[in-house]
Amino acid sequence: MRLHQSLTAAAGALLLTLALPTSAHAAAGDFLYTASTGQTASLADPQSGICLNLPEATEENPANSPQNFTDATVFLETDCNGDTYTVMNPGKKLDTHTQLRSVIFS
């Protein structure tokens, strides 16, 4: 009976440990893109799970040509909204036809 209680307690502790939220971590790598000014901009080791609106991207002039060296999903709309998005695996580079205003890293 004691073995059964010990195993149950250990399993419960393990489940609690797995269920506790973990702190956000940074995605290792760089994310490059061409800003609406034509200059190359970058995000180094961005925080995972947080949507970032690109400050250089405007409604009239979105950013373009993303180059991803981490895991990212880029969105045409701000706040990582909308139906137009592209999942980018590490090492993927897209051309000037890919426009973006926000990005989220995983």
Side-chain angles (χ1 to χ4, degrees):
M1 186 68 164
R2 282 187 145 174
L3 178 61
H4 177 70
Q5 289 176 337
S6 296
L7 289 175
T8 302
L14 177 63
L15 288 174
L16 279 175
T17 301
L18 295 175
L20 292 176
T22 58
S23 61
H25 63 282
D30 294 330
F31 181 81
L32 308 172
Y33 59 96
T34 302
S36 59
T37 61
Q39 300 290 341
T40 299
S42 68
L43 301 170
D45 299 327
Q47 188 171 0
S48 296
I50 304 287
C51 177
L52 299 173
N53 290 324
L54 303 177
E56 301 88 357
T58 65
E59 188 65 34
E60 299 80 27
N61 296 306
N64 63 64
S65 307
Q67 299 178 43
N68 182 44
F69 299 99
T70 181
D71 287 315
T73 302
V74 298
F75 292 82
L76 176 59
E77 301 301 325
T78 58
D79 301 321
C80 298
N81 288 320
D83 295 333
T84 305
Y85 63 91
T86 303
V87 177
M88 297 182 69
N89 294 323
K92 189 167 188 176
K93 297 177 183 180
L94 301 174
D95 61 18
T96 57
H97 298 293
T98 303
Q99 297 181 333
L100 62 147
R101 292 185 180 89
S102 60
V103 60
I104 192 167
F105 300 92
S106 50

